[in-house]
């Protein structure tokens, strides 16, 4: 009985075999989450439904490609270091991080975000379909909902 953050972390860091010879469980798990997220966006923005077996095939394909890319080091660029880091707020404050997406052809938007404490622990998260909107208003909507 894990909370969402613990469950996500445990599966994302698992080193056990997935049963497939070319990748481990964490690679398949994270690939599946990405494919489900893309499918969710296709449903919201384009009203396009994907059958579960197609999502599974896409996740397996992505996991295999990811495994092969990491094994061959094609993703490493020693001359182009890029360090990305999240800085926690000072105690007793919390930090709200948001992002949004807009389909320009339909002008439909969605936003999401999360709140973390000074230790980087997840407090609350959200995702919302905003509906018709301009690109200038997507981020403010995410901030409004987050607050």
């Amino acid at each position: 009985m894990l909370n969402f953050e613990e469950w996500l972390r445990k599966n994302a860091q698992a080193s056990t075999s997935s049963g497939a010879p070319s990748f481990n469980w964490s690679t398949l798990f994270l690939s599946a989450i990405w494919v489900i997220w893309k499918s969710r966006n296709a449903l919201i923005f384009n009203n396009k439904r994907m059958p579960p077996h197609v999502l599974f095939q896409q996740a397996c394909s992505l996991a295999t490609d990811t495994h092969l890319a990491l094994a061959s080091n094609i993703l490493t660029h020693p001359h182009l270091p890029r360090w990305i880091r999240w800085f926690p707020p000072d105690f007793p404050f919390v930090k709200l991080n948001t992002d949004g997406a807009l389909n320009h052809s339909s002008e439909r938007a969605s936003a999401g975000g999360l709140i973390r404490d000074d230790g980087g622990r997840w407090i609350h998260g959200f995702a919302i379909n905003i509906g018709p909107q301009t690109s200038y208003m997507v981020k403010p909507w995410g901030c409004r909902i987050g607050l």
Side-chain angles (χ1 to χ4, degrees):
M1 297 305 292
L2 302 173
N3 68 34
F4 178 74
E5 182 182 5
E6 292 166 339
W7 172 81
L8 188 62
R9 182 171 293 137
K10 182 175 181 169
N11 282 283
Q13 295 175 343
S15 60
T16 58
S17 172
S18 64
S22 60
F23 47 83
N24 63 22
W25 170 252
S26 61
T27 305
L28 179 59
F29 177 76
L30 293 172
S31 296
I33 288 176
W34 176 246
V35 167
I36 291 168
W37 175 252
K38 286 178 51 180
S39 174
R40 172 247 183 223
N41 288 341
L43 178 62
I44 289 174
F45 292 122
N46 302 323
N47 200 25
K48 183 178 178 184
R49 294 186 184 274
M50 298 294 289
H53 72 278
V54 172
L55 297 178
F56 179 73
Q57 291 170 342
Q58 289 177 348
C60 288
S61 177
L62 178 59
T64 300
D65 291 347
T66 301
H67 174 77
L68 293 172
L70 293 171
S72 66
N73 284 332
I74 66 170
L75 297 179
T76 59
H77 299 282
H79 302 293
L80 301 171
R82 185 172 177 205
W83 300 101
I84 299 172
R85 183 170 176 205
W86 179 82
F87 295 97
D90 294 329
F91 179 81
F93 297 99
V94 297
K95 186 178 268 190
L96 167 66
N97 295 105
T98 64
D99 200 2
L102 174 69
N103 182 318
H104 290 284
S105 63
S106 68
E107 295 184 347
R108 294 182 64 184
S110 64
L114 61 106
I115 299 172
R116 293 186 278 192
D117 67 11
D118 59 293
R121 291 176 293 274
W122 183 85
I123 296 173
H124 184 74
F126 66 93
I128 185 167
N129 180 9
I130 300 170
Q133 200 53 255
T134 64
S135 60
Y136 299 107
M137 293 304 295
V138 176
K139 280 272 194 182
W141 264 100
C143 291
R144 179 181 180 267
I145 299 300
L147 294 173

